[in-house]
Amino acid sequence: MKFNYQTREHAIEKLQDRTLDLLIIGGGITGAGVALQAAASGLETGLIEMQDFAEGTSSRSTKLVHGGIRYLKNFDVEVVADTVGERAVVQQIAPHVPKPDPMLMPIYDEEGSTFSMFRLKVAMNLYDSLAGINSNSEFANTMLTKEEVLEHQPNLKQEGLLGGGQYLDFNNSDIRLVVENIKRANQDGALIANRVKAVDYTFDENGKVNGVVAEDLLNGKKFEINARYVINTTGPWSDKTRNLNKPEHPIEMMRPTKGVHLVIDRSKLEVSQPIYFDSGYNDGRMIFVIPREKKTYFGTTDTDYHGDFEHPTVTQADVD
Ligand SMILES: Cc1cc2nc3c(=O)[nH]c(=O)nc-3n(C[C@H](O)[C@H](O)[C@H](O)COP(=O)(O)OP(=O)(O)OC[C@H]3O[C@@H](n4cnc5c(N)ncnc54)[C@H](O)[C@@H]3O)c2cc1C
């Protein structure tokens, strides 16, 4: 059956009449990716998501399929090899989702800056070679003089600007990527339902988890789902999910943080392309400024967060 609102009812029914090989809790990109892989491998797979698909972190990202060039500052080659390798897989199987979008990186003479001009060139060359971009490609990296950087982006601060570089990055529709994974997993037989929340675990006689108690949040009905394995892909909710059956004595392994983007009318901050630079505060962060349709968004912050995960809000301190 094609994935639509009726498959939800069908999935909820079927989730109760069998023992799954794998039940996935959480329908962000991690859960959707696991569902795709598991269903394609022939495992009897189920996935429940308490909100809508991608309604957690996976719709609130910077929307880049980011190569992670900053890791090359410390020659963390393996991380970047991984990210650009995975990106190539996504491009191959879903070329309609990630789109090439070259990134401008201005370099300033400032204390604690991530890259000097020399380090940027070394990093960009290494990055291109890991990503398989050869030097004749239209997407090969280029170094830019101060004047060229300002030609690309006239409203950048000129003081302390040394020059910069441009390298290939990709923009992405994060929600669509999740939904594409979900649809394909459904096509391969996975039973998938949104607005269904895992509220407790069930255990076998040896105390091993063998399923969950789920609640259909559209009608409040609770039901059991049996599974040989249950996987927790609930991102920032991972601790809450791990501790569903022991709220009194939770084992906490996460340190939740909040990343805020500010979104403003493009007329107020006109940028010609994505830009990536140090925050200027020597605080270890890099800032993205991304044009998208009639908006420009920029950020992000990186602060500890213990508020409501479903409806995180922006404080004045974040804006400042
Ligand atoms: C500010 C910011 C910018 C980012 N930018 C980028 C970027 O540009 N590119 C990039 O690749 N990555 C980016 N990331 C990282 C990326 O967004 C995350 O790694 C990714 O979205 C995490 O996906 P996830 O599936 O693990 O978690 P989530 O998307 O949060 O999914 C977890 C899901 O579990 C569900 N859930 C929770 N509890 C239950 C329960 N009891 N029962 C059922 N369902 C439950 C939630 O509703 C949620 O939908 C960014 C992250 C942040 C914070």
Side-chain angles (χ1 to χ4, degrees), residues 125-136:
N125 282 349
L126 188 53
Y127 177 88
D128 278 3
S129 100
L130 290 168
I133 302 165
N134 73 41
S135 54
N136 304 322

Side-chain angles (χ1 to χ4, degrees), residues 31-240:
V34 172
L36 172 80
Q37 203 72 43
S41 312
L43 297 179
E44 185 137 37
T45 304
L47 182 149
I48 53 173
E49 162 56 51
M50 70 175 179
Q51 307 185 81
D52 202 352
F53 306 112
E55 204 171 339
T57 323
S58 297
S59 54
R60 301 168 198 225
S61 79
T62 310
K63 307 193 192 304
L64 299 167
V65 191
H66 189 41
I69 198 166
R70 66 176 300 189
Y71 298 112
L72 291 177
K73 182 198 171 194
N74 301 321
F75 294 102
D76 217 336
V77 178
E78 267 175 54
V79 173
V80 179
D82 250 14
T83 55
V84 296
E86 290 295 311
R87 181 168 74 190
V89 173
V90 177
Q91 273 170 266
Q92 217 173 17
I93 59 179
H96 55 299
V97 185
K99 302 269 166 49
D101 204 2
M103 180 77 78
L104 177 67
M105 192 189 272
I107 301 293
Y108 285 91
D109 179 17
E110 63 192 10
E111 197 194 331
S113 61
T114 306
F115 287 107
S116 62
M117 292 291 281
F118 175 71
R119 274 176 177 262
L120 176 64
K121 181 63 186 160
V122 174
M124 290 197 306
N125 282 349
L126 188 53
Y127 177 88
D128 278 3
S129 100
L130 290 168
I133 302 165
N134 73 41
S135 54
N136 304 322
S137 156
E138 59 170 316
F139 293 124
N141 78 74
T142 44
M143 289 300 281
L144 302 167
T145 62
K146 175 177 176 176
E147 290 68 33
E148 286 167 333
V149 171
L150 291 170
E151 246 169 63
H152 279 258
Q153 194 51 55
N155 52 5
L156 277 173
K157 188 175 87 174
Q158 296 192 23
E159 192 194 330
L161 180 63
L162 299 173
Q166 179 174 271
Y167 66 93
L168 181 59
D169 220 328
F170 283 76
N171 74 44
N172 178 40
S173 168
D174 48 9
I175 303 177
R176 181 146 193 202
L177 192 61
V178 172
V179 172
E180 294 284 337
N181 276 272
I182 292 280
K183 278 162 56 189
R184 182 62 210 224
N186 168 79
Q187 195 181 321
D188 287 344
L191 299 167
I192 300 177
N194 59 355
R195 312 272 178 219
V196 173
K197 181 175 184 178
V199 292
D200 206 347
Y201 295 108
T202 58
F203 297 89
D204 67 14
E205 61 280 7
N206 301 316
K208 179 177 174 281
V209 171
N210 66 357
V212 305
V213 179
E215 181 177 350
D216 181 340
L217 298 181
L218 295 187
N219 58 21
K221 282 191 190 146
K222 289 195 178 155
F223 58 93
E224 285 190 8
I225 306 173
N226 301 316
R228 274 185 268 284
Y229 291 94
V230 176
I231 185 165
N232 172 0
T233 59
T234 58
W237 288 265
S238 294
D239 269 350
K240 292 182 201 260

